[in-house]
Short mmCIF file of all heavy atoms in Angstrom, two decimals:
data_model
loop_
_atom_site.label_atom_id
_atom_site.label_comp_id
_atom_site.label_asym_id
_atom_site.label_seq_id
_atom_site.Cartn_x
_atom_site.Cartn_y
_atom_site.Cartn_z
N GLU A 137 89.97 62.75 105.21
CA GLU A 137 88.58 62.49 105.52
C GLU A 137 87.65 63.62 105.09
O GLU A 137 86.54 63.39 104.64
CB GLU A 137 88.37 62.13 107.01
CG GLU A 137 88.81 63.17 108.01
CD GLU A 137 90.27 63.03 108.45
OE1 GLU A 137 91.10 62.54 107.67
OE2 GLU A 137 90.56 63.44 109.59
N ASN A 138 88.15 64.86 105.20
CA ASN A 138 87.31 65.99 104.79
C ASN A 138 87.10 66.03 103.28
O ASN A 138 86.00 66.31 102.81
CB ASN A 138 87.94 67.32 105.24
CG ASN A 138 87.89 67.45 106.75
OD1 ASN A 138 87.11 66.77 107.43
ND2 ASN A 138 88.71 68.32 107.30
N VAL A 139 88.15 65.75 102.53
CA VAL A 139 88.01 65.75 101.06
C VAL A 139 87.09 64.61 100.62
O VAL A 139 86.16 64.80 99.82
CB VAL A 139 89.40 65.60 100.37
CG1 VAL A 139 89.25 65.42 98.87
CG2 VAL A 139 90.27 66.81 100.68
N ASP A 140 87.28 63.44 101.19
CA ASP A 140 86.45 62.30 100.78
C ASP A 140 84.99 62.49 101.18
O ASP A 140 84.10 62.03 100.47
CB ASP A 140 87.02 60.99 101.33
CG ASP A 140 88.27 60.55 100.59
OD1 ASP A 140 88.68 61.29 99.66
OD2 ASP A 140 88.83 59.49 100.92
N ARG A 141 84.74 63.18 102.30
CA ARG A 141 83.36 63.43 102.70
C ARG A 141 82.66 64.33 101.70
O ARG A 141 81.52 64.15 101.36
CB ARG A 141 83.34 64.06 104.10
CG ARG A 141 81.94 64.00 104.73
CD ARG A 141 81.88 64.60 106.13
NE ARG A 141 82.98 64.25 106.97
CZ ARG A 141 83.80 65.15 107.55
NH1 ARG A 141 83.62 66.43 107.37
NH2 ARG A 141 84.80 64.75 108.30
N GLN A 142 83.39 65.33 101.21
CA GLN A 142 82.77 66.30 100.28
C GLN A 142 82.75 65.81 98.85
O GLN A 142 81.83 66.10 98.09
CB GLN A 142 83.59 67.61 100.37
CG GLN A 142 82.92 68.76 99.68
CD GLN A 142 83.71 70.07 99.82
OE1 GLN A 142 84.30 70.52 98.85
NE2 GLN A 142 83.72 70.63 101.00
N ARG A 143 83.77 65.04 98.44
CA ARG A 143 83.93 64.73 97.01
C ARG A 143 83.77 63.25 96.67
O ARG A 143 83.67 62.92 95.50
CB ARG A 143 85.31 65.19 96.50
CG ARG A 143 85.73 66.54 97.02
CD ARG A 143 86.63 67.24 96.07
NE ARG A 143 85.85 68.21 95.34
CZ ARG A 143 86.32 69.05 94.42
NH1 ARG A 143 87.58 69.04 94.15
NH2 ARG A 143 85.52 69.89 93.79
N GLY A 144 83.80 62.41 97.71
CA GLY A 144 83.60 60.98 97.44
C GLY A 144 84.81 60.17 97.89
O GLY A 144 85.95 60.66 97.92
N GLU A 145 84.54 58.91 98.19
CA GLU A 145 85.54 57.97 98.70
C GLU A 145 86.74 57.83 97.74
O GLU A 145 86.56 57.67 96.55
CB GLU A 145 84.84 56.60 98.84
CG GLU A 145 85.53 55.58 99.68
CD GLU A 145 85.66 55.97 101.15
OE1 GLU A 145 84.75 56.64 101.66
OE2 GLU A 145 86.69 55.62 101.73
N GLY A 146 87.93 57.98 98.27
CA GLY A 146 89.13 57.75 97.45
C GLY A 146 89.57 58.95 96.62
O GLY A 146 90.61 58.89 95.96
N VAL A 147 88.81 60.05 96.69
CA VAL A 147 89.16 61.21 95.84
C VAL A 147 90.46 61.87 96.30
O VAL A 147 91.31 62.27 95.49
CB VAL A 147 88.00 62.23 95.80
CG1 VAL A 147 88.44 63.53 95.11
CG2 VAL A 147 86.81 61.63 95.06
N TYR A 148 90.64 61.96 97.63
CA TYR A 148 91.85 62.60 98.14
C TYR A 148 93.10 61.90 97.62
O TYR A 148 94.04 62.56 97.12
CB TYR A 148 91.84 62.55 99.68
CG TYR A 148 93.03 63.19 100.32
CD1 TYR A 148 93.11 64.58 100.50
CD2 TYR A 148 94.11 62.42 100.81
CE1 TYR A 148 94.21 65.18 101.10
CE2 TYR A 148 95.21 63.01 101.41
CZ TYR A 148 95.28 64.39 101.55
OH TYR A 148 96.35 64.96 102.15
N ALA A 149 93.12 60.58 97.68
CA ALA A 149 94.33 59.84 97.22
C ALA A 149 94.59 60.11 95.75
O ALA A 149 95.75 60.27 95.34
CB ALA A 149 94.10 58.34 97.47
N ARG A 150 93.53 60.22 94.94
CA ARG A 150 93.73 60.51 93.52
C ARG A 150 94.24 61.91 93.31
O ARG A 150 95.09 62.17 92.45
CB ARG A 150 92.41 60.27 92.75
CG ARG A 150 92.10 58.77 92.57
CD ARG A 150 90.90 58.59 91.68
NE ARG A 150 89.67 58.55 92.47
CZ ARG A 150 88.45 58.87 92.02
NH1 ARG A 150 88.32 59.29 90.77
NH2 ARG A 150 87.41 58.78 92.78
N CYS A 151 93.74 62.85 94.12
CA CYS A 151 94.22 64.25 94.01
C CYS A 151 95.70 64.34 94.37
O CYS A 151 96.47 65.03 93.70
CB CYS A 151 93.43 65.16 94.96
SG CYS A 151 91.74 65.40 94.48
N ILE A 152 96.10 63.63 95.41
CA ILE A 152 97.51 63.66 95.81
C ILE A 152 98.39 63.06 94.72
O ILE A 152 99.46 63.60 94.39
CB ILE A 152 97.68 62.91 97.16
CG1 ILE A 152 96.95 63.66 98.29
CG2 ILE A 152 99.18 62.73 97.50
CD1 ILE A 152 97.39 65.10 98.53
N ALA A 153 97.95 61.95 94.12
CA ALA A 153 98.72 61.33 93.03
C ALA A 153 98.87 62.32 91.86
O ALA A 153 99.95 62.44 91.28
CB ALA A 153 98.01 60.04 92.57
N ALA A 154 97.78 63.03 91.55
CA ALA A 154 97.84 64.00 90.46
C ALA A 154 98.77 65.16 90.78
O ALA A 154 99.55 65.61 89.93
CB ALA A 154 96.44 64.53 90.15
N LEU A 155 98.72 65.63 92.03
CA LEU A 155 99.58 66.74 92.42
C LEU A 155 101.06 66.33 92.35
O LEU A 155 101.93 67.11 91.92
CB LEU A 155 99.26 67.22 93.85
CG LEU A 155 97.96 68.02 93.98
CD1 LEU A 155 97.59 68.24 95.44
CD2 LEU A 155 98.11 69.37 93.26
N LYS A 156 101.35 65.09 92.72
CA LYS A 156 102.73 64.62 92.65
C LYS A 156 103.20 64.57 91.19
O LYS A 156 104.35 64.93 90.87
CB LYS A 156 102.86 63.23 93.29
CG LYS A 156 102.79 63.30 94.79
CD LYS A 156 103.03 61.96 95.43
CE LYS A 156 103.12 62.10 96.96
NZ LYS A 156 103.14 60.84 97.65
N ARG A 157 102.35 64.13 90.31
CA ARG A 157 102.69 64.09 88.87
C ARG A 157 102.93 65.52 88.35
O ARG A 157 103.89 65.73 87.63
CB ARG A 157 101.53 63.41 88.12
CG ARG A 157 101.75 63.26 86.65
CD ARG A 157 102.71 62.09 86.32
NE ARG A 157 103.23 62.23 84.98
CZ ARG A 157 104.52 62.36 84.68
NH1 ARG A 157 105.43 62.36 85.62
NH2 ARG A 157 104.91 62.48 83.43
N LEU A 158 102.04 66.42 88.73
CA LEU A 158 102.20 67.83 88.28
C LEU A 158 103.51 68.42 88.82
O LEU A 158 104.24 69.09 88.08
CB LEU A 158 101.00 68.67 88.74
CG LEU A 158 99.68 68.41 87.97
CD1 LEU A 158 98.49 68.99 88.73
CD2 LEU A 158 99.74 68.98 86.55
N ASN A 159 103.81 68.16 90.07
CA ASN A 159 105.06 68.65 90.65
C ASN A 159 106.25 68.08 89.89
O ASN A 159 107.22 68.79 89.60
CB ASN A 159 105.19 68.23 92.13
CG ASN A 159 104.50 69.19 93.10
OD1 ASN A 159 104.43 68.94 94.29
ND2 ASN A 159 103.96 70.28 92.61
#
Side-chain angles (χ1 to χ4, degrees):
E137 59 270 29
N138 290 342
V139 173
D140 285 2
R141 195 179 317 123
Q142 190 178 108
R143 319 210 99 177
E145 196 64 34
V147 171
Y148 180 81
R150 285 187 270 155
C151 291
I152 295 301
L155 285 171
K156 286 185 173 171
R157 182 77 198 119
L158 287 165
N159 275 175

